[in-house]
Amino acid sequence: MAEAAAPEAGTGEALCCTSVIEAPLSQAEAAKLARVLDALADPVRLRLLSLVAAQKEICSCDLEAPLAKSQPTVSHHTKVLAEAGLIVGEKRGRWMWWRVEPKRLAAIRAALGG
Amino acid sequence: MAEAAAPEAGTGEALCCTSVIEAPLSQAEAAKLARVLDALADPVRLRLLSLVAAQKEICSCDLEAPLAKSQPTVSHHTKVLAEAGLIVGEKRGRWMWWRVEPKRLAAIRAALGG
DNA sequence: ATGATGAATCGACGGTGGTCAATACGTGGA
DNA sequence: TCCACGTATTGACCACCGTCGATTCATCAT
């Protein structure tokens, strides 16, 4: 099967009705928000995200060195971020190019009371 | 030893120099941000935080029922959130009262590009 | 003092996540 | 067609986390 790294939900949708500080979250809202935050709550993934954002587009092979991680590990982290809708990838030839999804980050900020 | 639930850093400080989407994060910045996000990346803690925020002040004993968790589990989660600087607690008599630290949430939003 | 109540800690269990070596998959060039 | 290269997946290992029962600690009332 090839479910790959498709984000489970649209990246433009709100993560919860209002925000965490405005009203008690339902279990479903909390679960959804927690999943996205979990993707961010890792130092390697945060640095990966910042590297992608810094160049607007970057190849997977150019992430191994700055992150000091093996190729499988980088692939794992890009997949996690992609499934969370924080980055999107496009395969061109043999290379995988990544870019950030600013709307997703904005949705997280909004859920956090932005 | 009694280090208890004291936040490891001031709750008013920025979590990283600029934001994740502006420049590559250093390992230290990424680690610091990841620690705070990790405190948030749990559905029970997100709901706990929203419950505290909804009432401006709430007793630990009034969290067990809505969260449907045991007293030790609630105590564990409040400690994690407090160490992350997201909530602050004050013991009055036999009861522990919690309130949110809005500045901390704002710092996270800023680190996420707010 | 003694007992009652609320909270924190301890110990243990099961589940999950980060990591890498090895391998499989896809694409493009010779 | 065959090989080289970049990527994705598998399997395994180790560490960490969420949870709860049992216990301990702290505070107040009697």
Side-chain angles (χ1 to χ4, degrees):
Chain A
M1 58 200 69
E3 44 184 317
E8 57 194 44
T11 57
E13 309 167 6
L15 284 163
C16 59
C17 299
T18 58
S19 82
V20 175
I21 59 170
E22 290 179 40
L25 266 51
S26 70
Q27 292 192 220
E29 287 174 316
K32 192 189 302 182
L33 225 192
R35 250 179 287 133
V36 182
L37 288 173
D38 208 55
L40 273 180
D42 179 275
V44 174
R45 286 195 288 270
L46 284 172
R47 296 188 64 221
L48 197 163
L49 184 68
S50 70
L51 286 168
V52 174
Q55 312 219 14
K56 291 307 173 195
E57 194 169 58
I58 192 170
C59 173
S60 279
C61 58
D62 288 330
L63 290 168
E64 300 178 29
L67 293 176
K69 296 294 170 186
S70 70
Q71 179 270 319
T73 297
V74 170
S75 179
H76 165 68
H77 287 305
T78 51
K79 181 178 182 178
V80 171
L81 287 173
E83 285 177 345
L86 289 160
I87 61 175
V88 294
E90 182 187 352
K91 193 159 192 177
R92 288 203 292 268
R94 281 179 280 200
W95 293 272
M96 193 66 178
W97 295 90
W98 300 100
R99 57 180 170 80
V100 299
E101 192 73 49
K103 288 181 184 175
R104 194 62 163 177
L105 265 181
I108 296 177
R109 292 197 305 268
L112 262 37
Chain B
M1 61 199 73
E3 44 184 316
E8 56 196 43
T11 58
E13 309 168 5
L15 284 164
C16 56
C17 299
T18 58
S19 82
V20 174
I21 59 170
E22 289 178 39
L25 264 54
S26 70
Q27 292 192 217
E29 287 174 316
K32 193 190 301 182
L33 225 192
R35 250 178 287 131
V36 182
L37 288 172
D38 208 55
L40 274 180
D42 179 275
V44 175
R45 285 195 287 270
L46 283 173
R47 296 187 64 221
L48 197 162
L49 184 67
S50 70
L51 286 168
V52 174
Q55 314 224 98
K56 291 307 173 194
E57 193 169 60
I58 191 170
C59 173
S60 279
C61 57
D62 289 330
L63 290 169
E64 300 178 28
L67 293 177
K69 297 294 170 185
S70 69
Q71 179 270 321
T73 297
V74 170
S75 179
H76 165 68
H77 287 304
T78 51
K79 181 178 181 178
V80 171
L81 286 173
E83 285 177 344
L86 289 160
I87 61 175
V88 294
E90 181 187 354
K91 192 159 193 177
R92 290 204 291 269
R94 280 178 281 197
W95 295 273
M96 193 66 177
W97 295 90
W98 299 99
R99 57 180 171 81
V100 299
E101 191 73 49
K103 289 181 183 175
R104 194 61 164 177
L105 264 181
I108 296 177
R109 292 197 305 267
L112 262 36

